[in-house]
Amino acid sequence: MSEKRNDARNVRAGRRTVRVSRPEKVLFPDDGITKWDLVEYYRSVSRRIIPQLRGRPLMMERHPDGIGGKPLMQKNAPDHFPDWVRRAVLPKEGGKVTHVVCDDTATLLYLADQACVTPHRWLSRADRPDHPDRLILDLDPPSSDESRKPNEPGASGASGESAESGFEEVRWAARRCCALLGELGLPGLLMTTGSRGLHVVVPLDGHADFDTVRSFARDAADLLAARHPDRLTTEPRKAKRRGRLYLDTQRNAYAQTAVTPYAVRARPGAPVATPIDARELDDPALRSDRWTLRTVGERLADDPWARTDTRGRSLRAPRERLRRLAEDEGQG
């Protein structure tokens, strides 16, 4: 329930009341999406997004002038944030940062009132910041000017899809990533980013440190690139990718962030980062920006990740399996 007071509205979130100032301010000018629409959206998905945010330091992507203005990529919690918004003080090179930690719906709605369109989360929790419990492979499609058709035999895949560059290439790569993770005994959770590509998320038990996780992710990506050298690459420089899909592992580092599942992206249409089932890779309508603030509600009744064993896994045995695979395939 909400009530309008002058140029503000109050919205209840549990035991708290959050005041939303200038609720009719348009944040997405091409779509007429207002700050109030953003608040209402995040309230509607709170039961899905709060478990993904809880305990994790955030970077806030704020758009006080709408998505056409200059964004504020903000790590420090401003002094004016209320006392009930949880903070975590964590070290950085040469100092410390006081991060927001979003543990409840009231905090999420307060951030939306601050024009935080997209919360970006750490891969570790505030109480163990050096030990990630998520590993992310970011599948970044070739840009349009890099388009080319690969020559790999059987590239069209079982579904008969073309292997042209763009999102079809992302789907192809996602299948190979999930297959390799299966060989290693790890689950791969898929998510559209709402931007260009897909994330493959691996839940971890939090025992390994960032150096170990990043090394494992890079070794896995290197093996995939070696298996499909004309289609996949771990080369960070665009000029050297030669139209191949980039397997980005660089998010797996201390203080790096990734877009949160069910977060809105600051792009026309307000696309939403949306968890998907691996079977949806065969859906020709799948795109990274397929679901938006206005359409993702149809998916909230069913959580695709709930059908997967998402308990955190150790990397000890998978690291040894990966080492043996690399040796057997001449990559050791």
Side-chain angles (χ1 to χ4, degrees), residues 96-325:
K96 296 180 179 179
V97 178
T98 301
H99 290 271
V100 169
V101 179
C102 184
D103 286 343
D104 54 36
T105 302
T107 300
L108 181 64
L109 302 188
Y110 182 81
L111 295 180
D113 172 59
Q114 298 298 303
C116 176
V117 173
T118 312
H120 300 264
R121 64 178 184 168
W122 280 36
L123 305 189
S124 58
R125 298 178 184 271
D127 57 352
R128 301 196 74 210
D130 298 304
H131 293 262
D133 61 0
R134 295 290 184 272
L135 178 156
I136 288 184
L137 294 173
D138 185 1
L139 308 185
D140 190 14
S143 58
S144 58
D145 59 353
E146 294 177 310
S147 296
R148 89 287 177 270
K149 292 188 176 182
N151 298 315
E152 180 179 351
S156 61
S159 65
E161 67 180 1
S162 70
E164 64 193 27
S165 64
F167 202 75
E168 296 298 321
E169 199 77 352
V170 173
R171 291 199 266 195
W172 181 90
R175 294 188 186 97
R176 273 68 192 174
C177 285
C178 290
L180 175 59
L181 290 171
E183 291 179 68
L184 301 176
L186 293 171
L189 307 177
L190 293 166
M191 182 182 77
T192 67
T193 62
S195 180
R196 296 184 65 231
L198 289 175
H199 281 178
V200 183
V201 182
V202 181
L204 304 176
D205 62 10
H207 290 168
D209 61 17
F210 267 110
D211 286 343
T212 300
V213 172
R214 183 171 60 252
S215 176
F216 175 85
R218 180 56 189 260
D219 289 346
D222 283 342
L223 180 58
L224 280 169
R227 285 178 171 181
H228 310 285
D230 62 337
R231 300 185 72 162
L232 303 176
T233 182
T234 56
E235 174 55 61
R237 290 168 290 186
K238 288 186 177 181
K240 293 194 173 184
R241 295 180 194 170
R242 303 194 307 275
R244 295 170 294 176
L245 183 141
Y246 177 41
L247 301 169
D248 185 356
T249 63
Q250 296 187 68
R251 297 181 188 276
N252 300 287
Y254 178 82
Q256 294 297 305
T257 62
V259 64
T260 307
Y262 297 104
V264 178
R265 305 308 301 269
R267 299 166 66 91
V272 170
T274 308
I276 63 172
D277 187 281
R279 292 170 295 185
E280 292 183 272
L281 292 173
D282 294 327
D283 182 353
L286 181 67
R287 291 292 182 270
S288 184
D289 58 357
R290 177 174 178 181
W291 292 282
T292 71
L293 175 150
R294 287 174 168 154
T295 65
V296 76
E298 66 194 44
R299 297 182 63 84
L300 298 181
D302 181 39
D303 179 8
W305 289 2
R307 296 189 290 272
T308 303
D309 184 357
T310 58
R311 61 189 171 87
R313 308 301 177 89
S314 169
L315 284 183
R316 186 172 300 174
R319 286 175 67 194
E320 178 59 23
R321 294 186 191 108
L322 180 59
R323 184 191 65 78
R324 290 198 302 267
L325 278 176

Side-chain angles (χ1 to χ4, degrees), residues 43-81:
R43 183 166 63 165
S44 73
V45 300
S46 61
R47 65 190 177 93
R48 292 275 185 244
I49 195 172
I50 292 298
Q52 302 294 335
L53 290 168
R54 187 174 289 121
R56 299 180 187 277
L58 298 183
M59 179 177 70
M60 299 171 285
E61 182 182 341
R62 297 176 59 200
H63 292 264
D65 298 319
I67 66 169
K70 185 176 180 179
L72 300 176
M73 307 303 287
Q74 190 166 5
K75 295 182 179 180
N76 265 307
D79 292 339
H80 70 264
F81 275 27

